[in-house]
Amino acid sequence: MAIVKMDNISLIGLEADKEEIIKELMKLGVLDITSLEGMAEDEEWSEHLSRDGCEEEVFRLDSQIQKIKSAIEYLSQYDTRKKVLFAPKKAVDISKYREISESQENLWNLVDKIERYDQLIAQLKSELNKCKNTVATLMPWKDLDIPLDLTSTKTTAVVLGTIPSTEDIHELEKSFEEQVPESYFHVIGTDSIQAYVLVIYHNSVEEDALRLLKNHGFSAMQFKDMKGTAKENIDLMQRRIEDIEKETEAIQKEIVAMAGSLDDLEILYDYLTIERDRKKILSRLVKTGRIFMLEGWLPEADGPKVAEHIARKWDCVIELRKPEEGEQFPILLRNNSLVQPFEPITEMYSLPNSNEPDPTPFLSPFFFVFFGLMVGDAAYGILMMIATGLVLLKFKPEGFLNKILKMLFLGGFSTFIWGALFGGWFGDLVTAISNGKYSIPPLWFNPLEDPMKLLIWSFIFGAIHLYTGMAIQAYKLIREGKVWDAIFDIGFWYVFLTGLALLLAGGVAGTIGKYMATAGAVLLVLTQGRSQKNIIKKLFSGILSLYNAVSFMSDVLSYSRLLALGLATGVIASVINAIAVLFGFNIVGILILIITVTIGTVFNVAINALGAYVHGSRLQYVEFFSKFYEGGGKPYQPFKIETKYTKLNDRRTV
Amino acid sequence: MKWYEFFLDGNFLALLGAALAVIVAGLGSARGVAMVGQAAAGVVTEDPERFGQTLLLQALPGTQGIYGLLTAFVILTKIGLVGGSPVELDTVQGLLFLGASLPVAIVGYFSAIGQAKTAVSGVGIVAKRPGELAKAITFAAMVETYAVLALLGSILMIFGIRV
């Protein structure tokens, strides 16, 4: 089956060997270590052993990793090297790891330096802003040729300030001349909001002068800590701004120079991560003074090999056993290369538990067919295959991304087949360009011309899908020894539902269907109430169970989305084509045609592939899985070397 | 032709139907996509790497607008305004087209907003548990079912009208 069978391994070894054994297990990377926390808290055991772990060390490593991470992020901003999408991890030899870890000192200096530079740049930036603000406030006073810090002479007061532009400045000037002759009123400049004025008055007329100013909305300006004229100060600030800019540039240059160490920092990051993981796993172990114990699951095929390998190298007690009946073990799916791309669909819902079959092989042919049917354009299918194929070949992505891209590749193939069957090649592009003279005939039929036919086929596909789900449930029941349940709950439903379907078809089949449906209904009424004790209740729940036929119907109707989404692609494509040929077949027209079809195709493929994926998954989750699937399996997460930036070259396995 | 007779013109009524499908369903989608976009922007402020995932959720309530356009296009093709020669419709035929456009217009509007609310909550799922994107999408897709059914209803009705 497609769930990998697991062996349980328990290992008791000497505390002195612990570090080496853990290291080796990590390198092997196949053991999913179970937490023995429960055992340490068990009364029977708790006097003899305690939980292992070194949280402080983990904490220390974590904060170091965090520090390097921010340094890496900071440096990457200045990294001038070309970045590649889906860049593969750099392969690094184990000797390089050792080298880096031994010369950590230099890298830590670098990290500190980056941190300092980061702060310095932030400081400079805030100073720069301050200077620019000061210049902006001083600018209107540029033409004032007396020092800003001059606020009085022996017998006069010197006042600087602004008057809002709503006031008539000339009138004010005149009033000063008339009412306070012992003064000097000078407008230095005006802008749209206010006027900038200098007022000098004799101390004896202070009251009058201030009253006059106040009446005209005067607000005084004070330039604290500034010596010299405004112009001098502006020059000073501008020189400082230049300095700051130069300084910042110099620091940035230094940082760019350090970007060369980015590789080393990344290796250190991964090295510390491995170290941290190795310490972190200890919390799942238990120990006494001298010995430690660990327990875990690993694939059946690796079990004996790993056990032997460890036992040969160190003195320890190893026990290997198969899971007991009904015991849950971590789930790893392994399918052939055609089914594997569809594993994410199962994984995203929930992994199967260890007592049931992996649903992926069952759902993948349906997903394949439904996806293609919902996109349904041969040219789009080819484009999808080319695009995903190129990414797969060129970048060789791993894991999840790899599976998704392969799924889209297969989906593209299905799309191509359905497109050819429906006669969709970029929708009706050929017909649109030739103005109806030519068209690519469908191999089967055109759903735009006969939607009812496709609707019925959608229901038939749906019924097959649902029957398959019910068959898997029957298989599960039979495996558990409940053969009668399988016959009553699945077999009789098959009879009843098939009868109903034939009845709809009419003719001779309809007559057969009538008898089948009646027989099925009677059998269901007789058996569905079997869990009830009272005979009347038995009959009643039997009759009530026929109501389930309604929910089966609504499940089947849900497959009408296959038609709706299939039509959507074709119709959107013909909208695009109709716009594309609007401008005729001169040079400009053809150019517009190419651009419109290109952009439209990208949009149409994207929106429909997303729709097909979403609704394809939904049909599996809601309609298919509800017939048989339990899920709730715990994913198999082996204790292994997990790195972010680099890949360890030397990875000996057993 | 008196002014009110214009409202009984078959072609006008059919076009009104097409316009309603685009306008009402489109409004719903626009509101829905905006709602999810706002929630997504909040998450991306904290964690820029969530962009791709939240964008996927944002796209979901956008389909209703497309369904509206699709319906309008089918109507336009049917009455010969796109690719073909225009047909003269009588009042009853026009009303039939108008009626057929209502499912996708009305259900499209409300399902887009309902789906957007679900997707906004889905953005919350992605913010806390990035691995559970598929579940967030599935919840939102459940709402979309009714938009798909409405589209199907509208299109089947339009295909069935004799012109």
Side-chain angles (χ1 to χ4, degrees):
Chain A
M1 231 26 297
I3 294 178
V4 177
K5 287 258 182 300
M6 297 270 165
D7 275 352
N8 182 292
I9 198 170
S10 45
L11 187 157
I12 297 177
L14 293 174
E15 184 74 21
D17 294 334
K18 187 171 75 179
E19 200 164 313
E20 284 301 309
I21 292 181
I22 293 278
K23 243 184 200 172
E24 190 65 25
L25 285 175
M26 188 182 215
K27 207 190 248 171
L28 294 173
V30 288
L31 186 64
D32 185 341
I33 298 180
T34 340
S35 174
L36 289 174
E37 207 180 322
M39 189 174 169
E41 279 156 19
D42 194 317
E43 262 180 53
E44 192 186 338
W45 290 99
S46 59
E47 334 172 5
H48 308 292
L49 41 79
S50 60
R51 225 177 118 193
D52 203 344
C54 35
E55 262 110 41
E56 288 148 40
E57 187 70 8
V58 173
F59 184 74
R60 188 182 65 82
L61 285 166
D62 260 335
S63 63
Q64 281 190 342
I65 290 171
Q66 214 47 47
K67 239 173 147 180
I68 297 185
K69 190 177 161 205
S70 47
I72 290 177
E73 273 167 12
Y74 190 71
L75 269 191
S76 321
Q77 293 172 18
Y78 297 96
D79 190 10
T80 46
R81 288 170 300 180
K82 223 174 104 191
K83 285 194 186 71
V84 210
L85 200 64
F86 307 117
K89 290 178 183 172
K90 278 163 274 181
V92 175
D93 286 331
I94 187 115
S95 57
K96 181 78 181 164
Y97 271 87
R98 290 222 183 87
E99 196 182 304
I100 297 278
S101 71
E102 274 154 23
S103 59
Q104 274 188 41
E105 205 60 29
N106 292 335
L107 286 173
W108 283 116
N109 286 339
L110 198 73
V111 171
D112 288 340
K113 213 156 138 195
I114 291 169
E115 217 169 285
R116 270 206 310 280
Y117 278 155
D118 188 18
Q119 283 169 2
L120 205 60
I121 285 195
Q123 269 173 21
L124 286 174
K125 210 171 180 181
S126 81
E127 199 187 334
L128 187 73
N129 280 338
K130 228 167 98 189
C131 288
K132 281 187 174 158
N133 281 338
T134 318
V135 168
T137 43
L138 282 176
M139 227 40 192
W141 306 100
K142 202 171 58 183
D143 297 331
L144 181 70
D145 43 15
I146 59 169
L148 292 169
D149 50 342
L150 183 74
T151 53
S152 58
T153 64
K154 206 185 274 173
T155 54
T156 63
V158 180
V159 183
L160 292 171
T162 57
I163 307 270
S165 58
T166 47
E167 299 289 325
D168 188 345
I169 197 81
H170 297 290
E171 196 203 302
L172 181 63
E173 202 170 350
K174 222 182 271 163
S175 330
F176 257 98
E177 263 170 46
E178 285 162 11
Q179 296 173 27
V180 203
E182 298 88 350
S183 73
Y184 173 74
F185 186 91
H186 179 60
V187 182
I188 294 157
T190 51
D191 59 25
S192 56
I193 320 166
Q194 53 201 4
Y196 302 88
V197 295
L198 161 73
V199 187
I200 305 175
Y201 52 83
H202 195 264
N203 286 341
S204 61
V205 293
E206 183 170 15
E207 218 165 283
D208 292 338
L210 285 182
R211 179 178 43 79
L212 204 56
L213 285 173
K214 201 177 150 202
N215 287 345
H216 286 84
F218 177 85
S219 70
M221 293 271 282
Q222 275 169 352
F223 297 95
K224 282 176 196 155
D225 320 320
M226 280 196 205
K227 300 219 152 50
T229 63
K231 182 133 193 340
E232 281 164 10
N233 273 298
I234 290 172
D235 287 347
L236 198 71
M237 284 298 156
Q238 256 152 4
R239 271 202 300 280
R240 180 69 195 134
I241 289 174
E242 267 169 46
D243 283 349
I244 291 174
E245 272 163 1
K246 261 185 218 151
E247 223 171 304
T248 315
E249 214 170 290
I251 292 176
Q252 275 169 349
K253 245 184 216 152
E254 288 228 13
I255 296 174
V256 172
M258 286 194 291
S261 306
L262 202 53
D263 286 345
D264 287 354
L265 278 177
E266 285 175 355
I267 294 174
L268 184 61
Y269 177 94
D270 282 346
Y271 172 80
L272 290 174
T273 311
I274 296 172
E275 199 82 339
R276 194 258 331 256
D277 289 346
R278 209 178 271 156
K279 299 284 181 221
K280 213 172 178 176
I281 204 76
L282 292 181
S283 67
R284 297 195 189 168
L285 274 46
V286 288
K287 62 172 180 188
T288 67
R290 283 270 182 61
I291 58 168
F292 74 96
M293 174 175 171
L294 66 80
E295 201 183 310
W297 296 93
L298 76 177
E300 206 175 38
D302 294 325
K305 280 191 274 181
V306 170
E308 208 177 294
H309 179 74
I310 301 284
R312 200 175 338 123
K313 276 189 148 170
W314 292 281
D315 286 330
C316 52
V317 184
I318 296 183
E319 192 190 87
L320 203 63
R321 66 173 176 87
K322 303 268 171 233
E324 286 158 27
E325 190 70 34
E327 189 178 8
Q328 295 293 326
F329 53 83
I331 302 299
L332 173 68
L333 304 180
R334 187 166 292 159
N335 289 295
N336 65 44
S337 55
L338 275 180
V339 173
Q340 199 199 28
F342 298 97
E343 280 172 5
I345 299 169
T346 306
E347 283 161 11
M348 280 175 176
Y349 183 81
S350 173
L351 282 170
N353 62 51
S354 29
N355 304 328
E356 62 182 346
D358 176 11
T360 320
F362 303 109
L363 70 79
S364 41
F366 289 104
F367 191 90
F368 177 78
V369 171
F370 294 164
F371 186 94
L373 179 51
M374 282 189 273
V375 186
D377 188 291
Y380 292 176
I382 294 173
L383 288 177
M384 281 168 68
M385 284 166 76
I386 293 175
T388 49
L390 278 180
V391 176
L392 278 168
L393 280 179
K394 193 141 185 267
F395 300 108
K396 297 192 174 57
E398 286 172 22
F400 183 75
L401 192 61
N402 181 314
K403 287 182 187 171
I404 288 281
L405 284 170
K406 277 189 184 153
M407 186 176 85
L408 286 174
F409 183 84
L410 290 175
F413 183 59
S414 172
T415 304
F416 164 71
I417 297 175
W418 280 108
L421 288 175
F422 292 156
W425 295 81
F426 291 110
D428 58 350
L429 187 62
V430 176
T431 320
I433 289 179
S434 66
N435 206 2
K437 269 192 218 118
Y438 306 101
S439 60
I440 301 177
L443 297 178
W444 189 16
F445 71 99
N446 184 349
L448 283 171
E449 280 158 12
D450 193 358
M452 285 312 289
K453 189 169 174 184
L454 185 55
L455 185 64
I456 290 170
W457 275 104
S458 301
F459 292 156
I460 293 173
F461 290 140
I464 297 173
H465 197 206
L466 293 170
Y467 271 27
T468 311
M470 287 160 71
I472 301 171
Q473 174 65 16
Y475 165 78
K476 276 171 74 176
L477 287 171
I478 292 170
R479 211 175 51 164
E480 287 168 26
K482 298 177 186 163
V483 181
W484 286 112
D485 285 337
I487 295 175
F488 293 157
D489 293 348
I490 314 289
F492 289 173
W493 273 109
Y494 276 161
V495 175
F496 179 55
L497 293 169
T498 314
L500 283 182
L502 288 175
L503 202 59
L504 284 174
V508 187
T511 325
I512 302 172
K514 201 161 81 187
Y515 291 118
M516 271 180 82
T518 320
V522 171
L523 289 170
L524 283 172
V525 169
L526 289 178
T527 55
Q528 288 302 296
R530 63 185 184 279
S531 59
Q532 303 286 350
K533 287 197 182 99
N534 187 321
I535 180 92
I536 296 166
K537 273 190 185 166
K538 269 185 204 287
L539 199 65
F540 191 67
S541 19
I543 292 170
L544 208 62
S545 78
L546 288 182
Y547 183 73
N548 283 338
V550 177
S551 83
F552 189 85
M553 290 294 165
S554 78
D555 280 349
V556 171
L557 286 177
S558 177
Y559 289 82
S560 62
R561 75 190 67 231
L562 295 178
L563 163 69
L565 291 165
L567 287 182
T569 324
V571 174
I572 295 175
S574 47
V575 175
I576 296 164
N577 296 337
I579 298 169
V581 296
L582 271 183
F583 298 89
F585 292 97
N586 45 40
I587 294 179
V588 181
I590 289 174
L591 210 65
I592 291 177
L593 183 132
I594 293 171
I595 294 172
T596 316
V597 170
T598 311
I599 297 176
T601 300
V602 171
F603 167 77
N604 200 9
V605 170
I607 200 84
N608 279 292
L610 175 65
Y613 167 73
V614 166
H615 288 280
S617 309
R618 180 224 134 100
L619 288 176
Q620 311 295 343
Y621 296 161
V622 183
E623 274 77 22
F624 188 56
F625 279 180
S626 65
K627 295 284 167 292
F628 69 95
Y629 194 54
E630 289 165 39
K634 207 167 87 35
Y636 167 67
Q637 288 168 321
F639 172 55
K640 61 175 180 190
I641 294 170
E642 264 174 294
T643 50
K644 190 171 174 188
Y645 302 104
T646 58
K647 205 164 63 184
L648 199 55
N649 249 347
D650 172 43
R651 204 181 216 171
R652 280 167 296 140
T653 40
V654 195
Chain B
M1 194 152 80
K2 295 215 171 61
W3 65 268
Y4 58 82
E5 278 173 24
F6 191 72
F7 289 97
L8 295 175
D9 179 66
N11 288 63
F12 170 77
L13 289 169
L15 268 187
L16 184 64
L20 274 182
V22 177
I23 295 170
V24 182
L27 280 177
S29 274
R31 269 190 69 184
V33 172
M35 281 160 69
V36 189
Q38 286 172 338
V43 174
V44 171
T45 321
E46 288 289 316
D47 187 356
E49 281 177 18
R50 294 284 92 81
F51 176 70
Q53 294 184 317
T54 49
L55 187 71
L56 211 59
L57 282 169
Q58 194 191 3
L60 290 179
T63 41
Q64 279 83 348
I66 297 173
Y67 295 158
L69 178 71
L70 225 140
T71 311
F73 190 77
V74 177
I75 293 180
L76 295 183
T77 320
K78 190 86 182 177
I79 63 175
L81 279 184
V82 173
S85 47
V87 230
E88 278 300 317
L89 301 176
D90 59 35
T91 310
V92 176
Q93 285 173 323
L95 282 171
L96 288 178
F97 278 112
L98 181 60
S101 74
L102 292 183
V104 85
I106 297 171
V107 179
Y109 181 84
F110 289 105
S111 72
I113 291 174
Q115 191 174 19
K117 286 179 186 161
T118 320
V120 165
S121 312
V123 169
I125 298 183
V126 172
K128 289 197 181 126
R129 296 166 179 266
E132 305 293 0
L133 173 67
K135 287 167 192 166
I137 291 181
T138 310
F139 286 141
M142 297 298 288
V143 186
E144 171 131 345
T145 303
Y146 304 98
V148 174
L149 293 181
L151 169 70
L152 197 67
S154 285
I155 287 188
L156 288 180
M157 287 181 214
I158 295 164
F159 274 130
I161 298 172
R162 262 173 243 267
V163 290

